[in-house]
Amino acid sequence: QVQLVEAGGGVVQAGGSLRLSCAASGRTFRSYVMGWFRQAPGKEREFVAAISRSGATTDYADSVKGRFTISRDNAKNTVYLQMNSLKPDDTAVYYCAADSDPTVILTHAFGSWGQGTQVTVSS
């Protein structure tokens, strides 16, 4: 079982940027597809982005395309989410996710989750 720890959340003004990171431990990091999800108050958790095991393939929610970038460093067992041009609607708890099934980059049905990090975007 992989353990995931997110970091990098905080408060930022609209139009600003933040970079989230997620450090993984346990089984070999490079064997996992990694993803980011978010949950705003009163809403269901929603998919944000995913990246394949090699990093060659990525997928994004329409709401963040062109603003957010997911990347990974397999040597550091870490996945990142660079968030630019932030909007108040991006305010949420952001969760890192992992799964060894390569199809989850399409299904988004991840099995392992971190505890989350709060991102607040002020207007």
Side-chain angles (χ1 to χ4, degrees):
Q1 187 76 8
V2 63
Q3 290 79 46
L4 305 171
V5 179
E6 301 97 335
V11 180
V12 63
Q13 289 189 333
S17 299
L18 278 176
R19 188 176 81 154
L20 306 183
S21 62
C22 172
S25 60
R27 290 180 59 189
T28 306
F29 178 73
R30 65 182 68 246
S31 70
Y32 287 93
V33 175
M34 301 298 296
W36 287 98
F37 289 71
R38 67 187 182 186
Q39 187 168 20
K43 296 186 178 180
E44 294 187 354
R45 187 159 55 187
E46 64 175 1
F47 169 76
V48 175
I51 188 166
S52 64
R53 292 176 293 185
S54 68
T57 303
T58 56
D59 188 28
Y60 295 93
D62 287 344
S63 59
V64 306
K65 280 181 181 176
R67 300 189 298 122
F68 290 12
T69 302
I70 188 171
S71 62
R72 66 190 294 161
D73 186 336
N74 285 345
K76 295 183 178 180
N77 287 8
T78 302
V79 63
Y80 304 95
L81 185 68
Q82 177 67 44
M83 305 185 294
N84 298 329
S85 301
L86 283 161
K87 305 174 182 179
D89 283 350
D90 295 318
T91 295
V93 177
Y94 283 72
Y95 296 91
C96 177
D99 203 288
S100 59
D101 182 347
T103 66
V104 299
I105 194 164
L106 297 176
T107 67
H108 306 159
F110 288 81
S112 297
W113 297 87
Q115 293 300 305
T117 185
Q118 176 70 46
V119 171
T120 301
V121 184
S122 61
S123 57

